[in-house]
């Protein structure tokens, strides 16, 4: 009884519906964000719909904080959904209803085995070095044989022989023998549905056509399909979904991604690492999906180009350097007023957003993240007397302070406070003194910024404004 399934064209042509189904037991980590992104892109590319389902059936491990962080993280990345999120825990009754339908139609059965009995069964399997599996002891037994009022679970009657092949859009054809699957529980003794049942019922009721998720769920697909098939036999209109199980993300050393590698919530990339959402979007897109060797792909291009055919089969490696390089690119592309607001929020009260916006073109050019922009902007808001870095202090040794005095005098006479005019005046002074421009620029940089790295020195003069710039030069001049 071989059974093919999920052929790429198994579904009738029609609307594409994808879903992202996170379990809110932790924040939206990088792997989850990428799964969400692929689902979103696939639906947007095909003009379909994409939905969000919060799989909060594990009440003990699910938290409101995690739900909020997931929703906020998705929103930050610009992933929008075509309906309000569906909460799996609200649907327990509907899940149970399907379990009873399966029971009534003979696709499931009551199992009265006690926990002690099952433990003894497993003990024996262990002793015989057999796989630990429910042995089907109630599969063909008459429920009337159970003691009056005894608690029971409902188990799925899975096919006993044959095999199932899933034509996964990423993994290719994957076959599992039916005798490897046991009759697992779909409804617990307390009447609550199991995860495996809930996923299938929700996907059906949401009209999901494409299940795109981490390949750690590939085994589950073989357990979920028998429910789908059984319900299809009962009701019709329960087609196999198209499956695409995407490889997990590994760390740069090839090991499974852990906290150490950056398996953090997306908010850590936003808050701690100063990454822009469009950079993370682009990076996660390229992590596991490719279009030639293009690195920079905008959101609009991604929607146009994305397809599952471009998703690789092997795990991708997370590389913070690549993410930062992309982030640098998007910083340079980003609107200066928007960046100024982000940077001002990081600096706090004493930030001047308008000044930051004016400074942004020169501040962002070499930055790879917002923290570096904040660092670079420090001189704008420094208070006199400026605190000097050790290297900056070294630039003020020798005759530097005397030179600064001459610079101060020359610039004080400058009426046209533009970078061009200031440069011309400074150059003229350098020539007059028989010095290279660097000999003047270095102490100027130290006096104006307290550091040895800054935007171009004439830009610095302009950004500080005449009064503040002259005061800083004067303060360090001999
Ligand atoms: N809730 C599952 C998870 O967070 C995903 C289930 C699914 O996509 O089918 O790993």
């Amino acid at each position: 009884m071989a059974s093919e399934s999920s052929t790429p064209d198994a579904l009738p042509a029609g609307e594409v519906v994808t879903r992202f189904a996170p379990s809110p037991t932790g924040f939206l980590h990088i792997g989850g964000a990428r799964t969400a992104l692929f689902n979103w892109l696939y639906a947007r590319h095909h003009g379909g719909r994409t939905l969000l389902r919060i799989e909060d059936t594990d009440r003990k491990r699910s938290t409101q904080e995690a739900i909020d962080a997931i929703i906020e993280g998705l929103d930050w990345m610009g992933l929008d959904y075509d309906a309000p999120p569906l909460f799996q825990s609200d649907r327990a009754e509907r899940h149970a209803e399907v379990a009873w339908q399966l029971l009534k139609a003979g696709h499931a059965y009551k199992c009265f085995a006690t926990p002690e009995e099952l433990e003894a069964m497993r003990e024996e399997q262990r002793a015989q070095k057999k796989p630990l599996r429910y042995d089907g002891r109630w599969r063909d037994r008459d429920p009337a044989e159970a003691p009056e009022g005894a608690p029971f679970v409902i188990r799925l009657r899975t096919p006993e022989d044959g095999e199932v092949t899933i034509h996964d859009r990423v993994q290719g054809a994957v076959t599992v023998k039916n005798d490897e699957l046991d009759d697992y529980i779909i409804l617990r003794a307390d009447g609550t549905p199991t995860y495996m049942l809930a996923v299938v019922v929700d996907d059906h009721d949401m009209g999901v056509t494409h299940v795109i998720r981490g390949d750690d769920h590939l085994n589950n697909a073989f357990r979920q399909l028998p429910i789908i098939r059984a319900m299809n036999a009962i009701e019709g209109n329960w087609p196999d979904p198209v499956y695409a199980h995407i490889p997990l993300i590994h760390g740069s050393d090839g090991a499974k991604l852990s906290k150490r590698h950056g398996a953090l919530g997306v908010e850590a990339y936003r808050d701690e690492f100063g990454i822009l959402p469009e950079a993370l979007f682009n990076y996660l897109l390229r992590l596991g999906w490719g279009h030639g060797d293009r690195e920079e792909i905008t959101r609009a291009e991604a929607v146009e180009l994305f397809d599952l055919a471009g998703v690789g089969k092997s795990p991708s490696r997370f590389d913070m350097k690549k993410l930062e390089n992309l982030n640098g690119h998007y910083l340079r592309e980003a609107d200066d007023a928007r960046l100024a607001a982000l940077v001002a929020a990081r600096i706090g009260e004493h930030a001047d957003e308008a000044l930051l916006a004016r400074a942004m073109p020169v501040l962002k050019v070499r930055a790879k993240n917002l923290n570096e922009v904040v660092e670079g902007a420090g001189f704008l808001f420094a208070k006199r007397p400026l605190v000097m870095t050790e290297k900056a202090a070294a630039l003020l040794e020798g005759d530097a302070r005397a030179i600064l005095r001459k610079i101060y005098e020359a610039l004080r006479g400058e009426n046209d406070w533009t970078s061009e005019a200031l440069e011309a005046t400074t150059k003229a002074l350098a020539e007059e003194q028989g010095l290279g421009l660097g000999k003047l620029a270095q102490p100027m940089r130290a006096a104006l910024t307290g550091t040895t790295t800054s935007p171009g020195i004439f830009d610095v003069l302009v950004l500080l404004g005449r009064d503040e710039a002259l005061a800083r030069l004067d303060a360090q001049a001999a």
Side-chain angles (χ1 to χ4, degrees), residues 250-435:
H250 285 190
S252 47
D253 55 1
K256 205 174 161 244
L257 200 62
S258 67
K259 280 234 164 79
R260 180 169 59 88
H261 293 113
L264 304 162
V266 296
E267 71 286 338
Y269 291 89
R270 179 190 64 197
D271 301 339
E272 286 168 41
F273 304 132
I275 301 293
L276 295 177
E278 57 269 43
L280 192 60
F281 184 108
N282 190 156
Y283 181 69
L284 291 179
L285 169 67
R286 289 288 293 105
L287 201 57
W289 177 87
H291 184 76
D293 48 13
R294 293 263 316 270
E295 287 295 338
E296 288 150 16
I297 299 175
T298 64
R299 188 184 168 86
E301 286 171 324
V303 168
E304 200 182 310
L305 297 171
F306 186 81
D307 218 336
L308 291 170
V311 177
K313 247 171 110 163
S314 46
S316 20
R317 292 188 177 202
F318 185 82
D319 183 340
M320 189 67 188
K321 270 219 176 78
K322 274 195 179 165
L323 171 56
E324 287 210 308
N325 284 340
L326 274 174
N327 200 48
H329 165 76
Y330 284 103
L331 280 171
R332 291 187 290 279
E333 299 273 302
D335 174 69
D336 291 329
R338 170 186 166 217
L339 292 182
L342 291 174
V343 171
R346 286 168 173 263
I347 291 177
E349 266 172 24
H350 63 285
D352 173 344
E353 206 174 306
L355 174 58
L356 278 169
R358 265 187 287 128
M360 203 50 70
V362 296
L363 288 179
K364 69 183 185 182
V365 278
R366 272 177 298 272
K368 292 188 298 300
N369 58 57
L370 289 171
N371 296 328
E372 290 181 4
V373 180
V374 168
E375 221 173 278
F379 77 91
L380 291 172
F381 310 109
K383 294 270 168 289
R384 271 176 283 122
L386 261 57
V387 179
M388 295 285 147
T389 66
E390 218 171 287
K391 282 184 186 167
L395 292 181
L396 293 172
E397 281 167 10
D399 55 0
R401 290 180 191 274
I403 294 173
L404 271 181
R405 176 58 61 201
K406 294 202 168 80
I407 297 169
Y408 171 79
E409 296 298 343
L411 296 186
R412 197 166 60 145
E414 182 60 65
N415 289 321
D416 182 10
W417 204 259
T418 60
S419 137
E420 297 74 26
L422 293 165
E423 183 170 354
T425 306
T426 310
K427 273 188 172 156
L429 177 66
E431 240 162 74
E432 183 195 303
Q433 299 289 318
L435 295 169

Side-chain angles (χ1 to χ4, degrees), residues 23-25 55-63 88-89:
S23 304
T25 52
E55 300 208 317
D56 57 346
T57 42
D58 186 344
R59 299 307 264 175
K60 273 185 232 114
R61 291 178 58 224
S62 301
T63 67
Q88 195 158 61
S89 61

Side-chain angles (χ1 to χ4, degrees), residues 80-152:
D80 56 344
Y81 289 88
D82 296 303
L86 182 131
F87 290 85
Q88 195 158 61
S89 61
D90 289 344
R91 295 179 35 85
E93 256 176 62
R94 165 66 180 148
H95 303 147
E97 179 184 73
V98 169
W100 287 101
Q101 252 181 298
L102 289 165
L103 179 79
K104 224 177 269 159
H107 294 290
Y109 59 89
K110 290 181 183 176
C111 168
F112 293 89
T114 63
E116 297 74 32
E117 220 183 298
L118 292 174
E119 188 41 48
M121 174 194 79
R122 280 190 288 265
E123 201 51 55
E124 208 179 304
Q125 289 169 340
R126 260 190 288 267
Q128 298 178 7
K129 303 221 167 354
K130 282 187 176 165
L132 305 187
R133 265 183 221 145
Y134 176 69
D135 60 3
R137 57 185 61 200
W138 279 94
R139 189 175 165 109
D140 298 312
R141 228 168 125 181
D142 184 351
E145 289 176 29
E148 185 70 20
F152 61 88

